[in-house]
């Protein structure tokens, strides 16, 4: 569950628990490969966008037996990007966000929230502030030799592979 909180009206160093608002929710089917991370791109934030990136593991079990990571219609094994400044699903209390129009699957086969697919267990990520907009999503079983680098400019065409595996 990803939730948003506002600052307490009486203490600016504390979140107001009563202000909790669910942004999105996903039930994990098994105990492993539930890696998750969330963050904002410095470049997009500087441009005034409130786009939240959320990673999800592939739902678990060895070798992704349900092929979640390659299924463009579910959220497992993916990086999602949602716009916190809107609500495209006002009737759904578990989906309080809008979809950035530039997401690669908007208007194509696949869930509109998806930004990158085919990840195993992306439990950590970062944005490259110094050079081109690029993210790194560690996702290997032991995170020793498996790093996925995803360049933003490659995401504009859903027909290409989004990530290059580096060993």
């Amino acid at each position: 569950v990803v939730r948003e909180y506002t600052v307490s009206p009486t203490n600016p160093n504390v979140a107001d628990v009563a202000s909790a608002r669910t942004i999105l929710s996903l039930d994990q089917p098994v105990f492993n490969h539930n890696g998750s991370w969330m963050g904002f791109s410095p470049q997009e934030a500087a441009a005034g966008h409130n786009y939240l990136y959320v990673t999800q593991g592939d739902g678990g079990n060895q070798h992704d037996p349900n092929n979640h990571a390659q299924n463009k219609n579910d959220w497992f094994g993916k990086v999602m990007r949602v716009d916190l400044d809107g609500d495209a699903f006002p009737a759904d209390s578990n989906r309080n966000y809008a979809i950035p129009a530039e997401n690669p699957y908007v208007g194509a086969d696949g869930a509109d929230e998806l930004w990158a697919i085919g990840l195993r267990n992306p439990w950590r990520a970062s944005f490259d502030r110094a050079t081109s907009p690029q993210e790194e999503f560690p996702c290997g079983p032991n995170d020793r030799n498996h790093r996925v680098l995803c360049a933003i400019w490659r995401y504009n065409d859903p027909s290409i592979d989004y990530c290059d595996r580096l060993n």
Side-chain angles (χ1 to χ4, degrees), residues 1-3 36-40 52-55 122-125 127:
V1 174
V2 175
R3 288 193 182 101
S36 194
W37 170 91
M38 61 184 166
F40 296 92
L52 177 67
Y53 288 77
V54 180
T55 66
W123 53 272
R124 179 175 51 183
F127 293 92

Side-chain angles (χ1 to χ4, degrees), residues 83-145:
D83 183 354
L84 298 182
D85 288 335
D87 188 354
F89 313 96
D92 187 343
S93 63
N94 287 316
R95 294 173 77 188
N96 292 296
Y97 54 85
I99 305 291
E102 308 83 24
N103 280 8
Y105 291 100
V106 170
D109 178 34
D112 291 345
E113 292 89 347
L114 302 185
W115 185 250
I117 69 170
L119 303 179
R120 182 69 172 142
N121 193 30
W123 53 272
R124 179 175 51 183
S126 63
F127 293 92
D128 186 340
R129 295 172 184 262
T131 62
S132 59
Q134 189 174 41
E135 305 94 17
E136 180 175 340
F137 304 103
C139 61
N142 299 317
D143 190 43
R144 289 189 188 178
N145 298 317

Side-chain angles (χ1 to χ4, degrees), residues 6-29:
T6 59
V7 174
S8 167
T10 59
N11 184 343
N13 298 316
V14 176
D16 180 0
V17 176
S19 71
R21 177 177 79 118
T22 297
I23 301 300
L24 58 89
S25 180
L26 177 67
D27 292 327
Q28 295 287 346

